[in-house]
Each structure stands twice: as structure tokens, then as C-alpha cells.
Amino acid sequence: MKIYNSLTRKKEEFTPLEAGKVKMYACGITVSGEAHIGHAYQAIVYDLFRKFLEKQGYKVTYARNYTDVDDKIIARAKEENVPADEYAAKMIQNINAVMHRAEIDEPNLWLKATENIGNIISFIEELIEKGHAYPAENGDVYFDVDSCPSYGQLSGRSADESLDGVRVENDEAKKNAYDFALWKAAKEGEIYWQSPWGKGRPGWHIECSAMNRAAFGDQIDIHGGGRDLIFPHHENEIAQSESLTGKRFAKYWTHNGLIKVNGQKMSKSLGNSLLLSDLMDNYSPDALKFALLSNNYRGDLNITDNLFPEAEAHIAKFYSLIAEAEKAFPNETGKEEEIDKKFDKDMSDDFNTALALSDLFGYFKEVSKLLQEKNPRARRITNQIRETYSLLGLFKKNAEEYLKKYAPKEEIPQEVLAVAEERKQARAEKNWAKSDELREKLKELGYAVKDSKEGYELTKL
């Protein structure tokens, strides 16, 4: 199989550092607020990476982190007048809950910055000893970018170019403006830990380097995250880790695209952030994944007003055919292995979910045709689809239950409702001839009517 490597800017044959085993780390969420669609997108992408690698026979250890202390978290905690660690714990609980609602599986390892302070301090001490970092008089510690000749290898930026678009803090305390903080001295009233440089807390970039080393050692196979992390976060991770160990930190760097909303970059300042909890109030986990994975993971995803409703409509149509096949052929257990082989071929080309999902339309068109012919192969195809596409989180539900809960309800025309109400009145008056006449009229309008204790139910023919 081939994976696109952001470091070399090309697809490469995947060969792990140790045969049969994969060490994979994806940067998780800074818990300064609730989970949004961008967080879900990244989590879904790396969950499917893990599952497909396992399907290919690899033993995968997949780690994600929570950044649970930083400037934004401290600021939000102050706004709510609670301790920063209490605020972070609450956010993690909320994020975990909504990720479970979205049916996104957890990694093998959860890593938190606040649980790795000792590892972070040790990492910084070693960098200082090797001449790659220096403490400032104000209690901060900085990475010396000039000590790392390979700096810029991931982003393609030189040290001077790295200042473009990046906020620079405490210039007077640094050797160079482009040096970055490994340890930040605590301000009055802020959360802190004791260190050789005084009271403080870790910088953002050092967290992932130190947690990676503690969990996996000096090297990993796959390091991932959103494309917005390439610079400065991942560039700085490489500099820290490779300066310390002298080894290549990650063999493959992978990055998912960014989320846009109606063509604009998603951001809090524009007020267009889509909270995951709001999406889960309105759509199924299947529709969420179908919508997000119909795009190549490396490309930006533009979320239009119709994206999720259309995804739900497709999923509902697919589930209705699954339900029909299961009802028509309840004892058919066979499968169509060619579907699974085609899926593996698609996914082996840099996890091409867009192609794998486009295949579904042809498969279900065939199912519809076979159902009309009363051919049990329809059930064999849906059996295989259920098994194969469960890797993407699709078609794992009972079909009838999904349709009752999530299938989009069509708006019934007023003309049809008027006839149905007239028929209801005729039945109340025991005018059966008129009731039958109006039933036929409803059929002509394209609707079947079923009487119930509550009144009636209309179904489109």
C-alpha cells in the first residue's frame, strides 16, 4: 500500500520501522472549547487509518493527545472563574461524550500534557545539555533554531521565513526572534509546575515530542494531524525530537485537509464553527462519516448547506435497500468477496475513501435490480457491504431502526393532506364508499394510506 508523505511530498510504499507493527500518533484537541466538525474530521481520518492498517495485518498502536494546558485554556478558565485544570477536565469529558455519540472509536493510548510534565522537563533538560535550548532570565526556556540546520524540512520554510504570519512573543528574552518556547514562566495566578527554571508550564510544541518519546521511544512510523499543524507545530516537533535523538522522528508525515463552510475557512472569529454536538442532534453517525469521507482526506472539505442532508438521503436509500434485501432473503448468508477486494485496492492507494464510497452507488444500483428479479445475490451484496464498509463506520445499524430514527421525512403536499383529511372525515361518518373513492384518489396522487388508532399514515408509492 502507498501513503502520501508530507515530508517528501509524494506517495511512498508503506514499510514500517518494525515488520508487522505500526506506531502511529495523531495530534488531538486543545481543550479550550467544545468539539467542532474539524476535530471530528481529523479523528475519523486517523481512526480509519488505524483500522485499515489492522485489516492489512499490522499490529497498530495508535496514540492521540489532549493538550490540556495552554494560553487559551487558561483564558477560558478565567472567564468562567474556575481553575484551569478543572475547566480542561470538564471539556475533555464533554468532548469524549460527543465523540462517542458520533461513534468515533478511541485510540489505543490517550496522552495528556498535564500527565507528562516530568517527561517534558526531562526532554527540555536534555536539549539544554546538548546545546539546542537555553533558559532566559525571565524563567522561559527556548529552542535555539540556529542549532538545527535541517529546520524547515517539513514546511519548506527557512528560519527567517518562519516568522511570516506567526505571533512572536518576548523578543527581548530570545537569542533570535524565530526561537520558540519550550517552557513558559507562570504569570501571577496561572496554573504552574515546579521546574529547574522556576514555576511554569510547557510550551505547546514540546508536549507532543515528549509524549511521543515516552509512549513509543525515539521513532514512530506515522505522525498525523490537520494540515494547519505543518507549521509551526510539526516543524518544531521535528526540530526538538531529531535534535535530541539524532534519529529520524517519524517515517511518514500525514495531514488531512481543512474544513471550509460555504467556501470560507472555518473559524470562531467568522462565527461559522460547526459544533459536533449540533450536527449529532440532526444527523446520523453514518451520514456524518459518509459526508466527510466522500472527500479525499488530503483535500480541503467545503461544507455547504446541503452536504449533510444529501449524505443522510443517500444513507437512507442504501439502508432501505439493505432492509429490503434482508426481508426478502432472511436466510441468505453468502457474500461477494470482489467488493472487499475492490475496497482494499481503493484504500491501499493512500486511503482513498472517496473512491471506495463512490463504488457504493454502483453496488446498490445492482442490488435494486436484483431485488426486482427476486435474486438472492442482492442479499449477498448487502452482506458484504455491511462487513466491508463497517471499517468506515457505515451500515452497522439495524436497517429498520435506522430508517425509523434518521430517514429524512418527505414533506407531504397540501393537496394530498387535504384528500387524506377528507377521507378521515368520511370514515368517521362511516361513509365507506367515499372512503374507498378517496383512497383511490390518493393512489393517483402517488400515496398509500394506512389507517391507525391515531388516524392514518401516508407513504409515498
Side-chain angles (χ1 to χ4, degrees):
M1 64 176 290
K2 291 189 175 182
I3 294 180
Y4 183 86
N5 190 345
S6 301
L7 186 66
T8 59
R9 298 165 181 78
K10 63 183 181 182
K11 288 182 186 178
E12 298 178 359
E13 198 67 33
F14 180 68
T15 309
L17 295 165
E18 184 179 350
K21 295 182 179 180
V22 176
K23 296 184 284 188
M24 183 173 81
Y25 180 97
C27 289
I29 302 173
T30 298
V31 295
S32 55
E34 302 289 347
H36 56 63
I37 186 62
H39 297 139
Y41 186 35
Q42 195 248 40
I44 288 168
V45 165
Y46 287 98
D47 184 40
L48 76 86
F49 274 29
R50 180 253 303 266
K51 288 174 179 170
F52 187 68
L53 288 165
E54 288 176 340
K55 189 172 191 280
Q56 300 310 295
Y58 294 106
K59 179 177 172 53
V60 182
T61 305
Y62 165 40
R64 287 176 68 80
N65 77 298
Y66 275 127
T67 294
D68 54 350
V69 59
D70 86 330
D71 292 339
K72 291 180 182 177
I73 294 169
I74 291 169
R76 291 296 300 274
K78 281 183 179 177
E79 288 173 14
E80 297 198 9
N81 198 29
V82 296
D85 55 349
E86 184 179 315
Y87 175 83
K90 181 184 77 171
M91 284 297 103
I92 289 173
Q93 187 176 27
N94 292 352
I95 292 165
N96 281 339
V98 75
M99 289 289 187
H100 290 157
R101 283 183 67 196
E103 297 177 3
I104 301 170
D105 290 340
E106 295 196 14
N108 303 104
L109 297 174
W110 270 122
L111 305 173
K112 295 177 185 176
T114 58
E115 294 175 356
N116 281 270
I117 299 297
N119 294 324
I120 291 167
I121 290 172
S122 296
F123 201 109
I124 296 171
E125 287 179 318
E126 288 185 63
L127 283 173
I128 293 172
E129 288 171 14
K130 288 178 177 280
H132 294 291
Y134 57 92
E137 290 181 5
N138 63 358
D140 292 345
V141 180
Y142 293 98
F143 183 85
D144 185 350
V145 171
D146 283 349
S147 75
C148 180
S150 62
Y151 191 83
Q153 59 182 295
L154 181 65
S155 64
R157 297 192 189 197
S158 67
D160 287 326
E161 289 171 335
S162 73
L163 293 176
D164 293 343
V166 178
R167 186 177 63 184
V168 177
E169 298 176 342
N170 299 324
D171 264 2
E172 69 283 355
K174 303 178 184 180
K175 289 182 181 179
N176 296 293
Y178 41 72
D179 293 346
F180 57 89
L182 302 174
W183 187 261
K184 293 186 174 186
K187 298 182 179 70
E188 186 66 33
E190 286 186 348
I191 188 171
Y192 68 84
W193 288 264
Q194 292 288 354
S195 79
W197 318 286
K199 296 176 180 178
R201 57 189 169 84
W204 176 32
H205 312 300
I206 193 64
E207 295 173 6
C208 289
S209 285
M211 288 189 288
N212 254 299
R213 193 180 186 211
F216 293 122
D218 292 345
Q219 296 178 290
I220 60 173
D221 296 289
I222 299 173
H223 195 312
R227 196 174 68 240
D228 55 326
L229 298 181
I230 290 177
F231 190 88
H233 186 53
H234 288 167
E235 191 72 76
N236 291 350
E237 275 193 70
I238 292 174
Q240 295 160 165
S241 296
E242 296 189 358
S243 292
L244 182 68
T245 68
K247 300 174 184 176
R248 186 178 181 181
F249 175 31
K251 190 171 183 182
Y252 303 91
W253 284 88
T254 60
H255 296 91
N256 60 276
L258 306 181
I259 297 286
K260 295 180 179 179
V261 179
N262 291 320
Q264 286 187 305
K265 182 180 176 182
M266 189 178 73
S267 71
K268 288 181 181 177
S269 61
L270 292 174
N272 63 354
S273 291
L274 296 174
L275 292 183
L276 183 56
S277 57
D278 291 340
L279 287 168
M280 299 322 302
D281 286 342
N282 293 286
Y283 304 104
S284 68
D286 291 69
L288 174 75
K289 290 166 188 172
F290 187 85
L292 298 182
L293 298 178
S294 292
N295 188 65
N296 183 291
Y297 81 90
R298 286 191 286 118
D300 290 346
L301 177 64
N302 185 30
I303 296 181
T304 62
D305 294 339
N306 294 325
L307 180 66
F308 294 109
E310 287 178 356
E312 196 77 86
H314 288 312
I315 290 292
K317 177 64 175 175
F318 296 157
Y319 263 117
S320 67
L321 289 167
I322 290 172
E324 197 175 338
E326 290 176 347
K327 186 176 180 181
F329 308 105
N331 300 316
E332 180 61 58
T333 59
K335 295 171 188 172
E336 298 269 327
E337 291 185 7
E338 289 304 313
I339 290 172
D340 195 62
K341 290 176 183 176
K342 177 60 166 61
F343 179 86
D344 282 358
K345 182 181 178 184
D346 295 343
M347 293 288 286
S348 290
D349 182 12
D350 193 32
F351 307 100
N352 195 339
T353 57
L355 184 55
L357 290 179
S358 70
D359 291 340
L360 285 172
F361 292 93
Y363 298 149
F364 279 109
K365 184 177 181 181
E366 181 70 5
V367 168
S368 182
K369 176 174 173 285
L370 292 168
L371 284 168
Q372 291 175 10
E373 297 170 356
K374 296 182 170 50
N375 187 329
R377 183 167 170 254
R379 177 67 191 271
R380 294 198 291 274
I381 292 174
T382 59
N383 286 345
Q384 189 67 65
I385 288 171
R386 273 196 182 277
E387 181 178 295
T388 297
Y389 284 83
S390 66
L391 188 143
L392 303 183
L394 302 178
F395 311 123
K396 296 164 76 173
K397 296 177 177 58
N398 175 281
E400 294 290 352
E401 289 177 6
Y402 163 84
L403 292 168
K404 284 179 183 176
K405 186 172 182 180
Y406 293 110
K409 304 294 188 291
E410 288 192 43
E411 198 166 316
I412 299 171
Q414 285 300 318
E415 179 188 7
V416 174
L417 289 173
V419 174
E421 286 295 319
E422 187 181 354
R423 181 178 174 275
K424 180 182 176 182
Q425 184 61 33
R427 285 179 59 78
E429 295 169 355
K430 301 189 186 304
N431 188 343
W432 309 121
K434 187 175 182 182
S435 169
D436 289 344
E437 178 187 325
L438 293 169
R439 179 191 290 275
E440 290 304 312
K441 187 172 181 181
L442 285 168
K443 278 186 183 177
E444 290 171 12
L445 293 169
Y447 284 83
V449 62
K450 182 180 179 183
D451 298 307
S452 64
K453 291 180 182 178
E454 292 76 25
Y456 58 86
E457 182 181 331
L458 292 170
T459 308
K460 194 169 177 59
L461 293 170

CSV table of all heavy atoms in Angstrom, one decimal, residues 92-140:
chain,number,residue,atom,x,y,z
A,92,ILE,N,-12.7,17.9,28.4
A,92,ILE,CA,-12.4,16.5,27.9
A,92,ILE,C,-13.6,15.6,28.1
A,92,ILE,O,-13.9,14.8,27.2
A,92,ILE,CB,-11.1,16.0,28.7
A,92,ILE,CG1,-9.9,16.8,28.3
A,92,ILE,CG2,-11.0,14.5,28.5
A,92,ILE,CD1,-8.6,16.4,29.1
A,93,GLN,N,-14.3,15.7,29.2
A,93,GLN,CA,-15.5,14.9,29.4
A,93,GLN,C,-16.5,15.2,28.4
A,93,GLN,O,-17.1,14.3,27.8
A,93,GLN,CB,-16.0,15.2,30.8
A,93,GLN,CG,-17.2,14.3,31.2
A,93,GLN,CD,-17.6,14.6,32.7
A,93,GLN,OE1,-17.5,15.7,33.2
A,93,GLN,NE2,-18.2,13.6,33.3
A,94,ASN,N,-16.7,16.5,28.0
A,94,ASN,CA,-17.7,16.8,27.0
A,94,ASN,C,-17.3,16.3,25.6
A,94,ASN,O,-18.1,15.8,24.9
A,94,ASN,CB,-17.9,18.4,27.0
A,94,ASN,CG,-18.5,18.9,28.2
A,94,ASN,OD1,-19.0,18.2,29.1
A,94,ASN,ND2,-18.6,20.2,28.3
A,95,ILE,N,-16.0,16.5,25.3
A,95,ILE,CA,-15.5,16.1,24.0
A,95,ILE,C,-15.6,14.6,23.9
A,95,ILE,O,-16.1,14.1,22.8
A,95,ILE,CB,-14.1,16.6,23.8
A,95,ILE,CG1,-14.1,18.1,23.7
A,95,ILE,CG2,-13.5,16.0,22.6
A,95,ILE,CD1,-12.7,18.8,23.8
A,96,ASN,N,-15.2,13.8,24.9
A,96,ASN,CA,-15.3,12.4,24.8
A,96,ASN,C,-16.8,11.9,24.6
A,96,ASN,O,-17.1,11.0,23.8
A,96,ASN,CB,-14.8,11.7,26.1
A,96,ASN,CG,-13.3,11.7,26.2
A,96,ASN,OD1,-12.6,11.7,25.1
A,96,ASN,ND2,-12.8,11.6,27.4
A,97,ALA,N,-17.7,12.6,25.3
A,97,ALA,CA,-19.1,12.2,25.2
A,97,ALA,C,-19.7,12.4,23.7
A,97,ALA,O,-20.3,11.6,23.2
A,97,ALA,CB,-20.0,13.0,26.2
A,98,VAL,N,-19.3,13.6,23.1
A,98,VAL,CA,-19.9,13.8,21.8
A,98,VAL,C,-19.1,13.0,20.7
A,98,VAL,O,-19.7,12.6,19.7
A,98,VAL,CB,-19.8,15.3,21.4
A,98,VAL,CG1,-18.4,15.8,21.1
A,98,VAL,CG2,-20.7,15.7,20.3
A,99,MET,N,-17.9,12.6,20.9
A,99,MET,CA,-17.2,11.7,20.0
A,99,MET,C,-17.8,10.4,20.1
A,99,MET,O,-17.9,9.7,19.0
A,99,MET,CB,-15.7,11.7,20.4
A,99,MET,CG,-14.9,12.9,20.0
A,99,MET,SD,-14.7,13.2,18.3
A,99,MET,CE,-13.6,14.6,18.3
A,100,HIS,N,-18.2,9.9,21.2
A,100,HIS,CA,-18.9,8.6,21.4
A,100,HIS,C,-20.3,8.7,20.6
A,100,HIS,O,-20.7,7.7,20.0
A,100,HIS,CB,-19.1,8.3,22.8
A,100,HIS,CG,-17.9,7.9,23.5
A,100,HIS,ND1,-17.7,8.0,24.9
A,100,HIS,CD2,-16.7,7.5,23.1
A,100,HIS,CE1,-16.5,7.6,25.2
A,100,HIS,NE2,-15.8,7.3,24.1
A,101,ARG,N,-21.0,9.8,20.8
A,101,ARG,CA,-22.2,10.0,20.0
A,101,ARG,C,-22.0,9.8,18.5
A,101,ARG,O,-22.9,9.3,17.8
A,101,ARG,CB,-22.9,11.4,20.3
A,101,ARG,CG,-23.6,11.5,21.6
A,101,ARG,CD,-24.2,12.9,21.8
A,101,ARG,NE,-25.3,13.0,20.8
A,101,ARG,CZ,-25.8,14.2,20.5
A,101,ARG,NH1,-25.4,15.3,21.0
A,101,ARG,NH2,-26.8,14.3,19.7
A,102,ALA,N,-20.9,10.3,18.1
A,102,ALA,CA,-20.6,10.3,16.6
A,102,ALA,C,-20.0,8.9,16.3
A,102,ALA,O,-19.7,8.6,15.1
A,102,ALA,CB,-19.6,11.3,16.3
A,103,GLU,N,-19.9,8.0,17.2
A,103,GLU,CA,-19.4,6.6,17.0
A,103,GLU,C,-18.0,6.6,16.5
A,103,GLU,O,-17.6,5.9,15.5
A,103,GLU,CB,-20.4,5.8,16.2
A,103,GLU,CG,-21.7,5.7,16.8
A,103,GLU,CD,-22.8,4.9,16.0
A,103,GLU,OE1,-22.4,4.5,14.9
A,103,GLU,OE2,-23.9,4.8,16.4
A,104,ILE,N,-17.1,7.5,17.0
A,104,ILE,CA,-15.7,7.5,16.7
A,104,ILE,C,-15.0,6.8,17.8
A,104,ILE,O,-15.0,7.1,19.0
A,104,ILE,CB,-15.2,9.0,16.6
A,104,ILE,CG1,-16.0,9.7,15.5
A,104,ILE,CG2,-13.7,9.0,16.3
A,104,ILE,CD1,-15.7,11.2,15.5
A,105,ASP,N,-14.3,5.7,17.4
A,105,ASP,CA,-13.6,4.9,18.4
A,105,ASP,C,-12.4,5.6,19.0
A,105,ASP,O,-11.8,6.4,18.4
A,105,ASP,CB,-13.2,3.5,17.8
A,105,ASP,CG,-14.4,2.7,17.4
A,105,ASP,OD1,-15.5,2.9,18.0
A,105,ASP,OD2,-14.2,1.8,16.6
A,106,GLU,N,-12.1,5.2,20.2
A,106,GLU,CA,-11.0,5.8,20.9
A,106,GLU,C,-9.6,5.1,20.5
A,106,GLU,O,-9.6,4.0,19.9
A,106,GLU,CB,-11.1,5.5,22.4
A,106,GLU,CG,-12.3,6.3,23.0
A,106,GLU,CD,-12.2,6.4,24.5
A,106,GLU,OE1,-11.2,6.1,25.1
A,106,GLU,OE2,-13.3,6.7,25.1
A,107,PRO,N,-8.5,5.9,20.6
A,107,PRO,CA,-7.2,5.3,20.3
A,107,PRO,C,-6.8,4.3,21.3
A,107,PRO,O,-7.5,4.1,22.3
A,107,PRO,CB,-6.3,6.5,20.3
A,107,PRO,CG,-6.9,7.4,21.4
A,107,PRO,CD,-8.4,7.2,21.2
A,108,ASN,N,-5.7,3.6,21.0
A,108,ASN,CA,-5.1,2.7,22.0
A,108,ASN,C,-4.6,3.4,23.2
A,108,ASN,O,-4.6,2.9,24.3
A,108,ASN,CB,-4.0,1.8,21.3
A,108,ASN,CG,-4.5,1.1,20.1
A,108,ASN,OD1,-4.1,1.5,19.0
A,108,ASN,ND2,-5.2,0.0,20.3
A,109,LEU,N,-4.0,4.6,23.0
A,109,LEU,CA,-3.4,5.4,24.0
A,109,LEU,C,-3.9,6.8,24.0
A,109,LEU,O,-3.9,7.4,23.0
A,109,LEU,CB,-1.9,5.4,23.9
A,109,LEU,CG,-1.1,4.1,24.0
A,109,LEU,CD1,0.4,4.4,23.6
A,109,LEU,CD2,-1.2,3.5,25.3
A,110,TRP,N,-4.4,7.2,25.2
A,110,TRP,CA,-4.7,8.7,25.4
A,110,TRP,C,-3.6,9.3,26.1
A,110,TRP,O,-3.2,8.8,27.2
A,110,TRP,CB,-6.0,8.8,26.2
A,110,TRP,CG,-7.3,8.9,25.4
A,110,TRP,CD1,-8.4,8.1,25.5
A,110,TRP,CD2,-7.6,9.8,24.4
A,110,TRP,NE1,-9.4,8.4,24.7
A,110,TRP,CE2,-8.9,9.5,23.9
A,110,TRP,CE3,-7.0,10.9,23.8
A,110,TRP,CZ2,-9.6,10.2,22.9
A,110,TRP,CZ3,-7.6,11.6,22.8
A,110,TRP,CH2,-8.9,11.3,22.4
A,111,LEU,N,-3.0,10.4,25.6
A,111,LEU,CA,-1.9,11.1,26.3
A,111,LEU,C,-2.4,12.5,26.6
A,111,LEU,O,-3.0,13.2,25.8
A,111,LEU,CB,-0.7,11.1,25.3
A,111,LEU,CG,-0.2,9.7,24.8
A,111,LEU,CD1,0.9,9.9,23.8
A,111,LEU,CD2,0.2,8.9,26.0
A,112,LYS,N,-2.0,12.9,27.8
A,112,LYS,CA,-2.3,14.3,28.2
A,112,LYS,C,-1.1,15.0,28.7
A,112,LYS,O,-0.2,14.5,29.3
A,112,LYS,CB,-3.3,14.3,29.4
A,112,LYS,CG,-4.7,13.7,29.0
A,112,LYS,CD,-5.6,13.6,30.3
A,112,LYS,CE,-6.9,12.9,30.0
A,112,LYS,NZ,-7.7,12.8,31.2
A,113,ALA,N,-1.0,16.3,28.3
A,113,ALA,CA,0.2,17.1,28.6
A,113,ALA,C,0.4,17.1,30.2
A,113,ALA,O,1.5,17.0,30.6
A,113,ALA,CB,0.0,18.5,28.1
A,114,THR,N,-0.7,17.4,30.9
A,114,THR,CA,-0.5,17.5,32.4
A,114,THR,C,-0.1,16.2,33.1
A,114,THR,O,0.4,16.3,34.2
A,114,THR,CB,-1.8,18.0,33.0
A,114,THR,OG1,-2.9,17.1,32.7
A,114,THR,CG2,-2.2,19.4,32.5
A,115,GLU,N,-0.2,15.1,32.4
A,115,GLU,CA,0.2,13.8,33.0
A,115,GLU,C,1.6,13.5,32.5
A,115,GLU,O,2.1,12.4,32.9
A,115,GLU,CB,-0.7,12.7,32.6
A,115,GLU,CG,-2.1,12.9,33.2
A,115,GLU,CD,-3.1,11.8,32.7
A,115,GLU,OE1,-2.8,11.0,31.8
A,115,GLU,OE2,-4.3,11.8,33.2
A,116,ASN,N,2.3,14.4,31.8
A,116,ASN,CA,3.6,14.1,31.3
A,116,ASN,C,4.6,15.3,31.6
A,116,ASN,O,5.6,15.4,30.9
A,116,ASN,CB,3.6,13.9,29.8
A,116,ASN,CG,3.1,12.5,29.4
A,116,ASN,OD1,3.9,11.6,29.2
A,116,ASN,ND2,1.8,12.4,29.2
A,117,ILE,N,4.3,16.0,32.7
A,117,ILE,CA,5.2,17.2,33.0
A,117,ILE,C,6.6,16.7,33.3
A,117,ILE,O,7.6,17.3,32.8
A,117,ILE,CB,4.6,17.9,34.2
A,117,ILE,CG1,3.2,18.5,33.9
A,117,ILE,CG2,5.6,19.1,34.6
A,117,ILE,CD1,3.2,19.5,32.7
A,118,GLY,N,6.8,15.6,34.0
A,118,GLY,CA,8.1,15.1,34.2
A,118,GLY,C,8.9,14.7,33.0
A,118,GLY,O,10.1,15.0,32.8
A,119,ASN,N,8.2,14.1,32.0
A,119,ASN,CA,8.8,13.7,30.8
A,119,ASN,C,9.2,15.0,30.0
A,119,ASN,O,10.2,15.0,29.3
A,119,ASN,CB,7.8,12.9,29.9
A,119,ASN,CG,7.5,11.5,30.5
A,119,ASN,OD1,8.4,10.9,31.1
A,119,ASN,ND2,6.3,11.0,30.4
A,120,ILE,N,8.3,16.0,30.0
A,120,ILE,CA,8.6,17.2,29.3
A,120,ILE,C,9.8,17.9,29.9
A,120,ILE,O,10.7,18.4,29.1
A,120,ILE,CB,7.3,18.1,29.4
A,120,ILE,CG1,6.2,17.5,28.5
A,120,ILE,CG2,7.6,19.5,28.9
A,120,ILE,CD1,4.8,18.1,28.7
A,121,ILE,N,9.9,18.0,31.2
A,121,ILE,CA,11.0,18.7,31.9
A,121,ILE,C,12.3,18.0,31.5
A,121,ILE,O,13.3,18.6,31.2
A,121,ILE,CB,10.8,18.8,33.4
A,121,ILE,CG1,9.7,19.8,33.7
A,121,ILE,CG2,12.1,19.2,34.1
A,121,ILE,CD1,9.3,19.9,35.1
A,122,SER,N,12.3,16.6,31.6
A,122,SER,CA,13.5,15.8,31.3
A,122,SER,C,13.9,16.1,29.8
A,122,SER,O,15.1,16.2,29.5
A,122,SER,CB,13.2,14.4,31.5
A,122,SER,OG,13.0,14.1,32.8
A,123,PHE,N,13.0,16.1,28.9
A,123,PHE,CA,13.2,16.4,27.5
A,123,PHE,C,13.9,17.7,27.3
A,123,PHE,O,15.0,17.8,26.6
A,123,PHE,CB,11.9,16.3,26.7
A,123,PHE,CG,12.1,16.1,25.2
A,123,PHE,CD1,11.7,14.9,24.7
A,123,PHE,CD2,12.6,17.0,24.4
A,123,PHE,CE1,11.8,14.6,23.3
A,123,PHE,CE2,12.7,16.8,23.0
A,123,PHE,CZ,12.3,15.6,22.5
A,124,ILE,N,13.4,18.7,28.0
A,124,ILE,CA,14.0,20.1,27.9
A,124,ILE,C,15.4,20.1,28.4
A,124,ILE,O,16.3,20.7,27.9
A,124,ILE,CB,13.1,21.1,28.6
A,124,ILE,CG1,11.7,21.2,27.9
A,124,ILE,CG2,13.7,22.5,28.6
A,124,ILE,CD1,10.7,22.0,28.6
A,125,GLU,N,15.6,19.5,29.6
A,125,GLU,CA,16.9,19.4,30.2
A,125,GLU,C,17.9,18.8,29.2
A,125,GLU,O,19.1,19.3,29.1
A,125,GLU,CB,16.9,18.6,31.5
A,125,GLU,CG,16.2,19.4,32.6
A,125,GLU,CD,16.1,18.5,33.9
A,125,GLU,OE1,15.8,17.3,33.8
A,125,GLU,OE2,16.3,19.1,35.0
A,126,GLU,N,17.6,17.7,28.6
A,126,GLU,CA,18.5,17.1,27.6
A,126,GLU,C,18.8,18.0,26.4
A,126,GLU,O,19.9,18.0,25.9
A,126,GLU,CB,17.9,15.8,27.1
A,126,GLU,CG,17.9,14.7,28.2
A,126,GLU,CD,17.4,13.4,27.6
A,126,GLU,OE1,18.1,12.8,26.7
A,126,GLU,OE2,16.4,12.9,28.1
A,127,LEU,N,17.8,18.8,26.0
A,127,LEU,CA,18.0,19.7,24.9
A,127,LEU,C,19.0,20.8,25.3
A,127,LEU,O,19.9,21.2,24.5
A,127,LEU,CB,16.7,20.3,24.4
A,127,LEU,CG,15.8,19.5,23.5
A,127,LEU,CD1,14.5,20.1,23.3
A,127,LEU,CD2,16.4,19.1,22.2
A,128,ILE,N,18.9,21.3,26.5
A,128,ILE,CA,19.8,22.3,27.0
A,128,ILE,C,21.2,21.7,27.1
A,128,ILE,O,22.2,22.4,26.7
A,128,ILE,CB,19.3,22.8,28.4
A,128,ILE,CG1,18.0,23.6,28.3
A,128,ILE,CG2,20.4,23.7,29.0
A,128,ILE,CD1,17.4,24.0,29.6
A,129,GLU,N,21.3,20.5,27.6
A,129,GLU,CA,22.7,19.9,27.8
A,129,GLU,C,23.3,19.7,26.4
A,129,GLU,O,24.6,19.8,26.3
A,129,GLU,CB,22.5,18.5,28.4
A,129,GLU,CG,22.2,18.5,29.9
A,129,GLU,CD,21.8,17.1,30.5
A,129,GLU,OE1,22.1,16.1,29.7
A,129,GLU,OE2,21.3,17.1,31.6
A,130,LYS,N,22.5,19.4,25.4
A,130,LYS,CA,23.1,19.2,24.0
A,130,LYS,C,23.3,20.5,23.3
A,130,LYS,O,23.7,20.5,22.1
A,130,LYS,CB,22.2,18.3,23.2
A,130,LYS,CG,22.2,16.8,23.7
A,130,LYS,CD,21.2,16.0,22.9
A,130,LYS,CE,21.3,14.5,23.4
A,130,LYS,NZ,22.5,13.8,22.7
A,131,GLY,N,23.0,21.6,23.9
A,131,GLY,CA,23.2,22.9,23.2
A,131,GLY,C,22.1,23.3,22.3
A,131,GLY,O,22.3,24.2,21.4
A,132,HIS,N,20.9,22.7,22.3
A,132,HIS,CA,19.8,23.1,21.4
A,132,HIS,C,18.7,23.9,22.1
A,132,HIS,O,17.8,24.3,21.4
A,132,HIS,CB,19.1,21.8,20.9
A,132,HIS,CG,20.0,20.9,20.1
A,132,HIS,ND1,20.4,21.3,18.8
A,132,HIS,CD2,20.6,19.7,20.3
A,132,HIS,CE1,21.2,20.4,18.3
A,132,HIS,NE2,21.4,19.4,19.2
A,133,ALA,N,18.9,24.2,23.3
A,133,ALA,CA,17.9,25.1,24.0
A,133,ALA,C,18.6,25.9,25.1
A,133,ALA,O,19.7,25.6,25.5
A,133,ALA,CB,16.8,24.2,24.7
A,134,TYR,N,18.0,27.0,25.5
A,134,TYR,CA,18.6,27.9,26.5
A,134,TYR,C,17.5,28.5,27.4
A,134,TYR,O,16.5,28.9,26.9
A,134,TYR,CB,19.4,28.9,25.8
A,134,TYR,CG,18.6,29.8,24.9
A,134,TYR,CD1,18.0,31.0,25.3
A,134,TYR,CD2,18.5,29.4,23.5
A,134,TYR,CE1,17.3,31.8,24.4
A,134,TYR,CE2,17.8,30.2,22.6
A,134,TYR,CZ,17.2,31.4,23.1
A,134,TYR,OH,16.5,32.1,22.2
A,135,PRO,N,17.8,28.6,28.7
A,135,PRO,CA,16.9,29.3,29.6
A,135,PRO,C,17.1,30.8,29.5
A,135,PRO,O,18.3,31.3,29.4
A,135,PRO,CB,17.3,28.8,31.0
A,135,PRO,CG,18.7,28.3,30.9
A,135,PRO,CD,18.9,28.0,29.4
A,136,ALA,N,16.0,31.5,29.6
A,136,ALA,CA,16.1,33.0,29.6
A,136,ALA,C,16.0,33.5,31.0
A,136,ALA,O,15.6,32.8,31.9
A,136,ALA,CB,15.0,33.6,28.7
A,137,GLU,N,16.4,34.8,31.2
A,137,GLU,CA,16.4,35.3,32.6
A,137,GLU,C,15.0,35.4,33.2
A,137,GLU,O,14.8,35.4,34.4
A,137,GLU,CB,17.0,36.7,32.6
A,137,GLU,CG,18.5,36.8,32.3
A,137,GLU,CD,19.1,38.1,32.3
A,137,GLU,OE1,18.3,39.1,32.6
A,137,GLU,OE2,20.3,38.3,32.0
A,138,ASN,N,13.9,35.5,32.3
A,138,ASN,CA,12.6,35.6,32.8
A,138,ASN,C,11.9,34.3,33.2
A,138,ASN,O,10.8,34.2,33.6
A,138,ASN,CB,11.7,36.3,31.8
A,138,ASN,CG,11.5,35.5,30.5
A,138,ASN,OD1,12.1,34.4,30.4
A,138,ASN,ND2,10.7,36.0,29.6
A,139,GLY,N,12.7,33.2,33.1
A,139,GLY,CA,12.2,31.8,33.5
A,139,GLY,C,11.7,31.0,32.3
A,139,GLY,O,11.3,29.9,32.5
A,140,ASP,N,11.6,31.6,31.1
A,140,ASP,CA,11.2,30.9,29.9
A,140,ASP,C,12.4,30.0,29.5
A,140,ASP,O,13.6,30.3,29.8
A,140,ASP,CB,10.8,31.8,28.8
A,140,ASP,CG,9.5,32.6,29.0
A,140,ASP,OD1,8.8,32.2,29.9
A,140,ASP,OD2,9.3,33.5,28.3
